[in-house]
Amino acid sequence: MLEVSISQSGVSEVVLVQRDGQDDLVPDLSAELVAVVTAVDADVPVLLTAGEPERLPAGPLRSDHRSMQSGLSAWVEQQTGHRLGYVEQLYTFADSGRDERRAISVSYLGLTRTTDGPGWQDWYAYFPWEDRRAPSGVVPAAAAMVDDLVRPALDAWVAAGTTDERDRRRRRADICFGLGGRHWSPELALQRYELLYESGAIPEAGTGGPTVPGQAMQSDHRRILATALSRLRAKIQYRPVVFELVPDSFTLGQLQRTVEALAGQPLHKQNFRRLVTGQELVEETGSSSSQTGGRPARLYRFRRDVLDERHVAGTKLPSVR
Amino acid sequence: MLEVSISQSGVSEVVLVQRDGQDDLVPDLSAELVAVVTAVDADVPVLLTAGEPERLPAGPLRSDHRSMQSGLSAWVEQQTGHRLGYVEQLYTFADSGRDERRAISVSYLGLTRTTDGPGWQDWYAYFPWEDRRAPSGVVPAAAAMVDDLVRPALDAWVAAGTTDERDRRRRRADICFGLGGRHWSPELALQRYELLYESGAIPEAGTGGPTVPGQAMQSDHRRILATALSRLRAKIQYRPVVFELVPDSFTLGQLQRTVEALAGQPLHKQNFRRLVTGQELVEETGSSSSQTGGRPARLYRFRRDVLDERHVAGTKLPSVR
DNA sequence: TCAAAAGTGTTATCCTTACACCCATGT
DNA sequence: ACATGGGTGTAAGGATAACACTTTTGA
């Protein structure tokens, strides 16, 4: 049954009322579950694609799925052969109709240890400007790239604004990319992506102009990736999620390089160690590893029992070098 | 196949298409947009309901909505007469089929200044244990309530666990409700709700046993509220969102009481003032207000231009009293 | 004059940052 | 011997928390 009423405060309104009869008004809508599954392999942060590098594992929510999470796990397992461990919801997007149908994408972030099998891609293939790791004293390739390619594009975008807009555009560009003497904030990855999109510097924007390097993805999947990266980088600073990415037993050096891989930034060694040990997040296993290239390192394991507590407390991480 | 198209003055349009060819992949699915709209009125935190206190403003996502946010705004405006200002997405829930159909709820948090019109309810009618404001020296009613009603219920729940479970249950209860010498964390509102749910101490759990006071809501709307409260309390600590809730010009006392209303906890006056002023979040208007009951207070206004910057920096708030 | 709220100043403490340095292993 | 990464100590700086105190109004 359909009921249309028009009235109210000058603006016309349409009201659809669903009566208890049957599914007379089922909207033509589909909900897609999308997974961003991340691991770190040999200091390279990787994500799981469904075969080709331009597609994330995804599938429609079906009525036989007990929950969205279990539906997601089913799709990922079917398309990639992987079982999901840690999973958290990211964001829900409404694809504003490529075709006639309304599509909703509910995206999830998953973390895992295993990186066997095909389909794993380097995160920084999609966001080359985000990896600012480099040996001390060396300028990271990503920084050079920002200087040579991103900055000119943004300068043009700033200049193209109206007189009013220019100031705000300038400040926004500076904050996002650490220009004008500001510092680089790893967790602004999404804001950087959105800025590049708005300024037309990436292919998805469809402006046809010159674009910054970086693998694109179908529909809005690269935006989902950027959302995931921002969230992960922010979260790693106050929740002990790194431990989902390292083996049961690990050295502090391994742990640090894992965080650095995700943060895209070197960390201060001594402070990192002190923070991790000082917070009683880990305990020694008793054995040590001599695979290090230098002095053998003690092996640690994560104290799973802190997971309850750290809802509150947090896991601070030290900044650069 | 059903197709309805209604056009009114070029604004509203509804197109519903149901294909009967391949509905093997078209699930019987609807997406509901749910709004949690918050304001603070005379130091009382309030939220907007659609008429009755047991319902939040909500409505299905329709194909004529340009985006989920605009769809949400339309429903809220129609059902309550209110225009939304600040809006952010909260979480997406899958109501695991009360009836046969699959329903997805995409929830949003909205903040606003105006509290005119009907439908505003006190937040703490739904979560009476969350309001721990009280004059110095007085035990808050909420604290007494936890001692008298919540604690016994949790103790029983802890005792009912297997030997293995008891330790974890005890710790979880202690962390959530600040028992056993721990401190109370306002932003754990969701965890507290979920714990009460699991332990059967609220009507939604449907265990039929004795329950803790507090207005329930239909389906899972009270869980959505708890999610919103946790998020808002967490966010207020590091983003300048309070300013969405106070008038253009305000005193520091007003601002503090607004934060306290949401945090459900008194703050340390001197440190609050220093933090707010020290971060250059506000500027003096030049005038002052003598509605204070004591010495007249300077009026301040929010410096809107910091909104860009504070993506990074944050707005720390001081703790108790 | 007193209560009530605004507003200022100062100090102790903790956490972060940064720097300097020693240790144990492989080549 | 020395390069490489593991591991420890300690001091400077900044932010927070806590306390004491003054100022300005209305009743």
Side-chain angles (χ1 to χ4, degrees):
Chain A
M1 179 176 286
L2 175 65
E3 186 172 303
V4 181
S5 82
I6 302 160
S7 69
Q8 192 126 356
S9 64
V11 187
S12 51
E13 300 281 337
V14 178
V15 184
L16 298 178
V17 179
Q18 228 166 291
R19 291 286 156 76
D20 32 71
Q22 280 287 7
D23 46 347
D24 44 64
L25 270 187
V26 180
D28 192 15
L29 185 127
S30 71
E32 192 187 41
L33 302 170
V34 185
V36 182
V37 184
T38 294
V40 177
D41 185 28
D43 304 346
V44 179
V46 288
L47 66 96
L48 189 53
T49 60
E52 332 117 69
E54 315 84 30
R55 256 202 74 218
L56 290 173
L61 171 64
R62 285 201 324 234
S63 25
D64 59 318
H65 293 146
R66 281 205 330 282
S67 69
M68 291 199 288
Q69 297 223 0
S70 66
L72 183 87
S73 297
W75 283 120
V76 171
E77 202 166 340
Q78 182 187 311
Q79 293 174 18
T80 72
H82 264 279
R83 291 198 71 83
L84 291 187
Y86 174 94
V87 176
E88 85 172 52
Q89 197 184 103
L90 267 180
Y91 201 80
T92 301
F93 302 87
D95 288 1
S96 41
R98 292 155 291 181
D99 46 21
E100 292 305 297
R101 304 192 31 205
R102 190 89 202 178
I104 283 185
S105 303
V106 186
S107 59
Y108 285 82
L109 171 65
L111 302 180
T112 185
R113 279 174 200 88
T114 58
T115 60
D116 48 296
W120 293 101
Q121 308 288 335
D122 187 342
W123 266 94
Y124 297 125
Y126 303 94
F127 305 101
W129 57 87
E130 293 288 348
D131 184 9
R132 299 173 72 94
R133 291 173 293 171
S136 181
V138 179
V139 174
M145 180 176 167
V146 167
D147 277 345
D148 297 344
L149 298 170
V150 175
R151 179 169 224 156
L154 292 178
D155 286 347
W157 174 74
V158 170
T162 66
T163 338
D164 289 346
E165 288 170 332
R166 267 180 231 146
D167 269 15
R168 294 183 61 88
R169 286 191 175 189
R170 178 80 272 159
R171 187 166 54 230
R172 188 169 158 213
D174 288 355
I175 292 171
C176 282
F177 284 91
L179 306 174
R182 294 174 190 263
H183 60 267
W184 176 270
S185 301
E187 70 277 14
L188 294 184
L190 175 60
Q191 285 87 335
R192 282 188 283 272
Y193 176 82
E194 286 180 335
L195 180 51
L196 290 177
Y197 190 103
E198 265 184 71
S199 61
I202 48 178
E204 292 96 313
T207 49
T211 59
V212 162
Q215 169 81 50
M217 295 196 101
Q218 66 168 47
S219 77
D220 56 354
H221 281 191
R222 205 192 191 184
R223 177 182 301 272
I224 297 179
L225 281 192
T227 307
L229 186 55
S230 265
R231 183 84 136 253
L232 182 52
R233 284 179 168 182
K235 194 142 199 171
I236 215 171
Q237 291 179 71
Y238 60 93
R239 292 290 145 86
V241 286
V242 216
F243 301 103
E244 306 288 341
L245 298 165
V246 291
D248 281 338
S249 126
F250 49 84
T251 72
L252 294 183
Q254 256 180 285
L255 190 68
Q256 179 175 348
R257 285 190 304 275
T258 304
V259 176
E260 288 175 336
L262 296 170
Q265 188 178 263
L267 301 178
H268 187 278
K269 184 181 67 161
Q270 298 92 321
N271 293 339
F272 179 85
R273 306 175 77 85
R274 213 190 333 274
L275 272 180
V276 172
T277 52
Q279 285 174 115
E280 304 188 313
L281 290 170
V282 296
E283 60 193 6
E284 298 186 28
T285 64
S287 43
S288 62
S289 159
S290 42
Q291 321 292 313
T292 53
R295 167 177 170 175
R298 293 181 200 163
L299 286 170
Y300 292 83
R301 81 170 67 85
F302 178 49
R303 289 185 49 219
R304 296 243 153 238
D305 47 315
V306 305
L307 273 180
D308 304 314
E309 332 248 346
R310 285 309 187 274
H311 278 275
V312 192
T315 319
K316 292 282 173 56
L317 290 182
S319 60
V320 274
R321 192 143 291 132
Chain B
M1 177 185 284
L2 166 69
E3 188 163 328
V4 182
S5 173
I6 302 163
S7 231
Q8 287 298 331
S9 58
V11 187
S12 312
E13 185 170 341
V14 180
V15 180
L16 300 173
V17 180
Q18 191 172 354
R19 302 202 185 100
D20 33 22
Q22 297 187 333
D23 42 359
D24 48 279
L25 272 191
V26 180
D28 191 16
L29 186 127
S30 71
E32 192 188 40
L33 302 170
V34 185
V36 182
V37 184
T38 294
V40 176
D41 186 28
D43 304 345
V44 178
V46 288
L47 65 96
L48 190 53
T49 60
E52 332 117 68
E54 315 84 31
R55 255 202 73 218
L56 291 173
L61 171 63
R62 287 197 327 233
S63 27
D64 60 315
H65 293 146
R66 281 204 329 281
S67 67
M68 291 198 288
Q69 297 223 359
S70 68
L72 183 86
S73 297
W75 283 120
V76 171
E77 200 167 340
Q78 181 189 307
Q79 292 173 16
T80 71
H82 265 278
R83 291 199 72 84
L84 292 187
Y86 175 94
V87 177
E88 84 172 55
Q89 196 183 103
L90 268 180
Y91 202 80
T92 301
F93 302 87
D95 288 0
S96 42
R98 292 154 294 180
D99 45 21
E100 291 306 296
R101 304 195 29 207
R102 192 89 203 178
I104 281 185
S105 302
V106 186
S107 60
Y108 284 82
L109 170 64
L111 302 179
T112 185
R113 279 174 200 86
T114 59
T115 60
D116 48 296
W120 293 100
Q121 309 288 335
D122 186 342
W123 265 94
Y124 297 125
Y126 303 94
F127 305 100
W129 58 87
E130 293 288 349
D131 185 9
R132 300 174 71 96
R133 291 172 295 171
S136 182
V138 178
V139 175
M145 180 175 167
V146 166
D147 277 344
D148 298 345
L149 298 170
V150 175
R151 179 170 222 154
L154 293 179
D155 286 345
W157 173 75
V158 170
T162 66
T163 339
D164 289 347
E165 287 171 333
R166 266 180 229 146
D167 268 16
R168 293 183 61 90
R169 285 192 175 189
R170 178 81 271 161
R171 187 165 56 229
R172 187 169 159 213
D174 288 355
I175 292 172
C176 281
F177 283 92
L179 306 174
R182 294 173 190 263
H183 60 267
W184 176 269
S185 300
E187 70 276 15
L188 294 185
L190 175 59
Q191 285 87 334
R192 282 187 283 270
Y193 176 82
E194 287 179 333
L195 180 51
L196 290 177
Y197 191 103
E198 265 184 70
S199 62
I202 48 178
E204 292 96 312
T207 49
T211 58
V212 162
Q215 168 83 51
M217 295 196 102
Q218 65 168 50
S219 75
D220 56 353
H221 281 191
R222 204 191 192 183
R223 177 183 300 272
I224 296 179
L225 282 192
T227 307
L229 187 56
S230 265
R231 183 84 139 253
L232 182 52
R233 284 178 168 181
K235 194 141 198 171
I236 215 171
Q237 292 181 71
Y238 59 95
R239 290 291 145 84
V241 287
V242 216
F243 302 103
E244 305 288 341
L245 297 165
V246 292
D248 281 337
S249 126
F250 50 83
T251 70
L252 294 183
Q254 255 180 286
L255 190 68
Q256 179 176 347
R257 285 190 304 275
T258 304
V259 176
E260 288 173 336
L262 297 171
Q265 186 179 264
L267 301 179
H268 187 279
K269 185 181 66 159
Q270 298 92 319
N271 292 339
F272 178 85
R273 306 175 78 85
R274 212 191 332 276
L275 272 181
V276 171
T277 52
Q279 284 175 116
E280 304 187 313
L281 290 170
V282 296
E283 60 193 5
E284 298 187 26
T285 64
S287 43
S288 63
S289 160
S290 42
Q291 320 292 313
T292 54
R295 168 176 170 175
R298 291 181 203 162
L299 286 169
Y300 291 83
R301 81 169 67 86
F302 178 48
R303 289 184 49 219
R304 296 242 151 239
D305 47 316
V306 305
L307 272 180
D308 304 314
E309 331 250 346
R310 285 311 187 273
H311 278 273
V312 192
T315 318
K316 292 282 176 56
L317 290 182
S319 62
V320 276
R321 190 144 293 131

